[in-house]
Amino acid sequence: MSAKVCDKKGRWRNKIVSFRMSPEEDAELETAVSLSGLSKQDYIISRLQNRDIVVVGNPRVHKALRNQMAVILEELQRISSSDTFGDELLHTIRLIATTMNGLKDECSTDALVGGSMPQ
């Protein structure tokens, strides 16, 4: 039996929820989680409750973005002779673009007020 865990809001998190996923769905979830900078638990709970995922730039998020961009570049080079893209690749590109746009807006806003990007 798992131990009770108290979250930041004083709630006991002692319920376990599990489900099965295909390897492709798992890869997509892992990509989204790594790009969000959240734990998998926090990411899934936020998505289930229709809350916005707010990405805060930190070294882990930047590393995940860099790694995903390398994977995309490799895939684009591989299929450069073909006109077809997989749905997973397009979804990942959209997710990275959204994340990068959010980070860009955050950085430019911080620059305007003289602040720095939160860690």
Side-chain angles (χ1 to χ4, degrees):
M1 183 151 172
S2 66
K4 293 181 179 181
V5 178
C6 191
D7 71 357
K8 293 176 186 174
K9 294 184 179 180
R11 298 175 294 202
W12 289 104
R13 288 193 165 167
N14 59 346
K15 296 298 244 175
I16 297 173
V17 177
S18 63
F19 51 91
R20 296 183 186 274
M21 299 177 77
S22 71
E24 297 82 11
E25 291 167 331
D26 181 57
E28 191 173 326
L29 176 62
E30 290 295 334
T31 299
V33 168
S34 68
L35 292 174
S36 74
L38 299 173
S39 69
K40 189 182 287 188
Q41 173 179 315
D42 290 337
Y43 180 85
I44 291 171
I45 290 171
S46 293
R47 294 296 300 206
L48 287 172
Q49 295 177 342
N50 290 323
R51 286 191 254 144
D52 290 334
I53 304 296
V54 178
V55 177
V56 177
N58 62 41
R60 209 169 78 215
V61 170
H62 288 281
K63 182 179 179 183
L65 284 168
R66 186 185 69 231
N67 292 343
Q68 283 300 313
M69 292 302 289
V71 169
I72 289 171
L73 177 61
E74 185 178 301
E75 183 68 11
L76 289 173
Q77 288 171 339
R78 185 186 70 75
I79 61 175
S80 63
S81 62
S82 173
D83 290 336
T84 59
F85 288 85
D87 288 339
E88 295 86 12
L89 180 61
L90 291 175
H91 176 74
T92 301
I93 291 170
R94 284 188 191 105
L95 186 60
I96 289 172
T98 302
T99 303
M100 296 286 280
N101 282 335
L103 290 175
K104 179 187 71 168
D105 291 345
E106 181 179 292
C107 289
S108 62
T109 301
D110 287 339
L112 291 175
V113 294
S116 61
M117 190 159 42
Q119 295 293 327

